[in-house]
Amino acid sequence: MATSFLRPFLGLLGWILLVPGALTALGAAWLLASSLNLVGDMRSAEGRVVALVPGTVGTMGRAAHGSKSMVEFTAHDGRTLRVTDPVLRRLQAEHAIGEAVTVRYPAKDPLQAEISSSRWIQGFIGFAMLLAGLVGMSVGGLLLRLRPKPAMAASTARTPTSPSETSS
């Protein structure tokens, strides 16, 4: 009776950990690959911080205030662009107005540019997500593997193998 409840419970729990863990690991792998410039045609350019843009982000019911750096740079096609770095830094931006920074951007869409120093944050988050995804996958797979065998399969596991066993 106890195994009839435990088996489906461990199976469900295993799948609940395995599937999101695998999806998290895939997303983390993409995040790491993009932070290491392994995805697509990435370009770099020298830029200059021209403004600090205030912003807020909500975390667990609290609003965190900070600022993002707006950078002006010249793309490989000769266009001068202004983009806001996607990373919100608490209290104040990491860069001062007028500071020279290196910008990286996809060649197909320079408006998706970001300050290169933001890359380590993206890499750290990607590594943490990858670790969490792998742990979830491991625990989910272990739970699926450790489920008790069904009672029916254990009772019918011994089948006659020779004609003499069937006649007696």
Side-chain angles (χ1 to χ4, degrees):
M1 177 75 178
T3 58
S4 65
F5 170 73
L6 189 60
R7 182 174 172 76
F9 176 72
L10 287 179
L12 180 65
L13 189 58
W15 285 112
I16 286 174
L17 291 172
L18 183 68
V19 172
L23 294 175
T24 301
L26 282 173
W30 176 83
L31 191 62
L32 278 172
S34 67
S35 73
L36 297 172
N37 292 337
L38 300 176
V39 177
D41 184 16
M42 297 295 285
R43 305 281 175 109
S44 293
E46 288 300 314
R48 184 175 53 90
V49 177
V50 294
L52 300 177
V53 179
T56 59
V57 64
T59 55
M60 294 191 182
R62 296 185 189 180
H65 300 284
S67 59
K68 299 178 180 183
S69 300
M70 181 180 287
V71 180
E72 183 176 270
F73 69 99
T74 303
H76 67 284
D77 59 4
R79 293 184 292 164
T80 300
L81 303 169
R82 281 188 177 199
V83 296
T84 303
D85 188 50
V87 178
L88 177 76
R89 292 180 171 74
R90 287 191 170 190
L91 303 179
Q92 67 182 30
E94 183 177 312
H95 306 285
I97 295 176
E99 183 178 346
V101 294
T102 302
V103 176
R104 66 183 198 110
Y105 60 93
K108 292 182 179 178
D109 190 8
L111 291 174
Q112 297 296 318
E114 61 185 20
I115 296 174
S116 292
S117 63
S118 299
R119 190 169 55 177
W120 75 270
I121 295 170
Q122 195 177 25
F124 177 76
I125 291 170
F127 179 74
M129 284 177 56
L130 182 63
L131 186 62
L134 291 176
V135 167
M137 286 173 49
S138 300
V139 171
L142 185 64
L143 286 173
L144 288 171
R145 181 88 175 146
L146 292 178
R147 291 183 297 175
K149 302 286 184 218
M152 289 276 296
S155 66
T156 59
R158 173 124 169 86
T159 58
T161 56
S162 68
S164 64
E165 289 180 18
T166 58
S167 61
S168 52

